Amino acid sequence: MLAAVARLVQLYEQLTPQHLDSLHLCYAPQAHFKDPFNDVRGVASIRQVFAHMFATLEAPRFTVTEQLVQGRQAFLAWEFHFRLRRWRADQPQCIRGGSLLRFDAQGLVQEHRDYWDTAEELYEKLPVLGVLMRGLRRAGAAPQAQA
C-alpha cells in the first residue's frame, strides 16, 4: 500500500486541471468521495468535484504534511492553499485537514473521506458569517482555567 499512497500523494501535490484525467490511476471506478460539501461516487463525479475547485478558486494546491499507513487504509494530514476569486483575492488562504483512505486489493482508493473544520477554516473568515461563527465558538468553549 505504500506505493499506492505515494502515487496518490504525488497526484494531489501536483494536481492541475490537466491532471484530472489521471484520477482513474488512483481511484477505483466506483470510489466514494466525501468532504464537508460533496458526497459523490465514481471517478467522473470525483473529477467534477476537483474541476469545480479549479473553476472557483485561484491557485489551489495541496501539501501533504503527514502520512499514516496501516494495511489497506491510510490517513493523510494536509494543507490546502488557495485564494478566493471574489473576496480578498490578494489574501492567501489555508485549510488544514485530513483524509481517511481505504484501498482495494489493486491499490486503488475505494473510500476517500476528508475531514476539516468548515467553521474555523472557512466560515469564520467570511465577513458577516464570521462574526456569528466566532461568537458560537466562544459560547461553546469551556472556560479558561485560572493560573
Side-chain angles (χ1 to χ4, degrees), residues 125-144:
K125 297 174 184 176
L126 299 174
V128 176
L129 192 53
V131 173
L132 175 64
M133 296 308 293
R134 288 187 298 275
L136 288 171
R137 182 180 299 276
R138 282 191 299 275
Q144 295 287 327

Side-chain angles (χ1 to χ4, degrees), residues 30-31 39 68 72 125 136:
Q30 288 304 310
D39 188 355
L68 300 170
R72 289 185 8 197
K125 297 174 184 176
L136 288 171

Side-chain angles (χ1 to χ4, degrees), residues 66-84:
E66 292 185 61
Q67 303 176 33
L68 300 170
V69 181
Q70 182 180 33
R72 289 185 8 197
Q73 62 183 6
F75 185 82
L76 304 178
W78 44 260
E79 292 179 348
F80 177 53
H81 301 270
F82 62 98
R83 288 190 315 277
L84 298 167

Side-chain angles (χ1 to χ4, degrees), residues 49-124:
V49 168
F50 290 105
H52 180 262
M53 173 191 78
F54 282 111
T56 58
L57 299 176
E58 189 68 38
R61 67 179 173 81
F62 292 93
T63 302
V64 175
T65 57
E66 292 185 61
Q67 303 176 33
L68 300 170
V69 181
Q70 182 180 33
R72 289 185 8 197
Q73 62 183 6
F75 185 82
L76 304 178
W78 44 260
E79 292 179 348
F80 177 53
H81 301 270
F82 62 98
R83 288 190 315 277
L84 298 167
R85 288 191 183 197
R86 296 186 180 161
W87 182 73
R88 292 187 179 176
D90 60 328
Q91 201 170 67
Q93 304 292 325
C94 179
I95 292 174
R96 289 169 185 81
S99 299
L100 179 61
L101 307 160
R102 292 194 174 84
F103 294 84
D104 65 14
Q106 289 74 43
L108 298 174
V109 176
Q110 280 183 291
E111 193 77 30
H112 179 149
R113 175 76 187 260
D114 281 351
Y115 296 94
W116 54 279
D117 184 347
T118 54
E120 178 183 2
E121 300 287 355
L122 187 61
Y123 298 147
E124 285 186 11

